[in-house]
Amino acid sequence: MEPILLVAQDGPVTTLTLNRPERLNAFTQDLHRDLRAALAEAAANNQCRVVLITGAGRGFCAGQDLADRAVIPAGESQRRDLGASLESFYNPLVRAMRNLPKPIVVAVNGVAAGAGANFALHGDIVLAAKSAKFIQAFIKIGLMPDAGGTWSLTHLLGEARAKALAMTGEPLSATQAADWGLIWRVVEDEALMVEAHTLARTLAAQPSGALAAIKSAIHAASVNSLDAQLNVERDGQREIGKSDDYLEGVAAFLEKRAPKFG
Ligand code: T3D
């Protein structure tokens, strides 16, 4: 049987491909388990400098697999505890992505719905195929956005757009998502993976300490005052200013050559 998560190591780039195309790569507990393990492995593996996440087939990810939510056994008085599902599966996944000290490129190859849309938005740089759509599908089944969606939508788009997307469940085209600043860039469908791999390799050649510092400082900025953020920058710059990569960067500039970061 095909693995439900494909993991490929190509030099410094670890590519994770959600592989349940017949269900538009919807999340199951097993997919959560494999994704979490792969992210932990990427964090520990010195060869990995960038993680690239995409989906197999025509969809990126349709959120929770609703086939796993269909049947409440007859006579059971208690409904399923979805809070427990978030606590055990979705929240740890989001935290693992946010806390990974390496860039995550997400290539949204098709529809991204429910938690699948919000999972995509935790990429550090998100590219989407022109035909892709982002759908806060939760409202259609009586739920609210999760997997950090209320946070990401509000921070990236503001309350007006966040509320309208969440309350209507209307699809947002990839082009509109890019125009609104929800994602980095839209790419022609057939060029998506080439562009995503090129971007991942470009990032892999950047100084890893600076990339990690940028990621955590920009995350901190969403809650910090300017004053606090100035301190974050001071501390970060102090740390990475001691690195070999900084010495190499300055030397390369002065010698008018391309830097070679370790
Ligand atoms: O439960 C908890 O743990 C709490 C956490 C919840 C997080 C969530 O993500 S809740 C939201 C769950 N997701 C959705 O509500 C989205 C459901 N899917 C759709 O609305 C549509 O499939 C799409 C808009 C994403 C795509 O539409 P379309 O027309 O392009 O494709 P389709 O025909 O609907 O789907 C293709 C197949 O995938 C189809 O199977 P079939 O009929 O060919 O055998 C469909 O049933 C299956 N599929 C799509 N999404 C899901 C799914 N199967 C299970 N779960 C899905 N989420």
Side-chain angles (χ1 to χ4, degrees):
M1 218 171 77
E2 278 264 297
I4 55 178
L5 182 72
L6 306 176
V7 182
Q9 190 69 44
D10 179 12
V13 179
T14 305
T15 302
L16 309 180
T17 306
L18 313 186
N19 191 33
R20 305 186 67 234
E22 69 291 349
R23 290 276 173 90
L24 302 180
N25 303 315
F27 282 114
T28 57
Q29 291 193 6
D30 286 348
L31 183 54
H32 274 288
R33 179 203 58 213
D34 289 2
L35 257 176
R36 291 256 297 283
L39 288 170
E41 162 65 20
N45 178 357
N46 288 337
Q47 199 197 339
C48 166
R49 292 170 70 94
V50 177
V51 175
L52 169 57
I53 299 178
T54 192
R58 72 177 177 88
F60 173 72
C61 176
Q64 171 62 39
D65 189 322
L66 296 176
D68 286 357
R69 295 289 179 264
V71 182
I72 301 284
E76 191 181 314
S77 58
Q78 278 209 318
R79 306 291 169 113
R80 188 181 289 276
D81 179 356
L82 298 188
S85 166
L86 298 189
E87 189 65 21
S88 303
F89 299 104
Y90 289 93
N91 294 356
L93 173 62
V94 171
R95 291 185 176 117
M97 292 174 77
R98 296 281 293 182
N99 295 335
L100 186 76
K102 303 178 183 185
I104 300 176
V105 174
V106 173
V108 182
N109 53 299
V111 66
N118 297 334
F119 161 65
L121 298 178
H122 295 295
D124 298 303
I125 303 184
V126 182
L127 303 176
K130 204 167 190 173
S131 65
K133 286 180 282 196
F134 296 82
I135 310 177
Q136 297 296 317
F138 307 88
I139 192 72
K140 309 277 187 197
I141 56 167
L143 295 182
M144 63 182 284
D146 58 25
T150 55
W151 189 91
S152 308
L153 295 173
T154 309
H155 276 83
L156 295 169
L157 300 181
E159 282 193 15
R161 285 170 173 162
K163 283 181 190 160
L165 289 172
M167 289 180 177
T168 65
E170 268 185 28
L172 183 70
S173 71
T175 304
Q176 187 75 84
D179 288 350
W180 283 0
L182 190 65
I183 63 170
W184 169 235
R185 193 170 275 169
V186 182
V187 180
E188 293 297 334
D189 288 19
E190 51 287 0
L192 177 71
M193 291 319 295
V194 172
E195 188 140 331
H197 281 286
T198 303
L199 172 62
R201 278 194 299 272
T202 303
L203 292 174
Q206 308 281 38
S208 55
L211 289 173
I214 290 167
K215 180 165 174 169
S216 75
I218 290 178
H219 291 172
S222 60
V223 290
N224 274 348
S225 63
L226 171 61
D227 216 40
Q229 197 64 15
L230 290 173
N231 292 341
V232 167
E233 292 174 1
R234 176 202 60 207
D235 295 345
Q237 209 72 298
R238 174 175 288 143
E239 194 58 34
I240 56 180
K242 293 176 190 158
S243 68
D244 291 345
D245 282 340
Y246 173 59
L247 297 183
E248 165 63 6
V250 174
F253 175 79
L254 295 175
E255 292 161 22
K256 300 190 186 304
R257 60 174 173 82
K260 209 168 166 336
F261 297 116

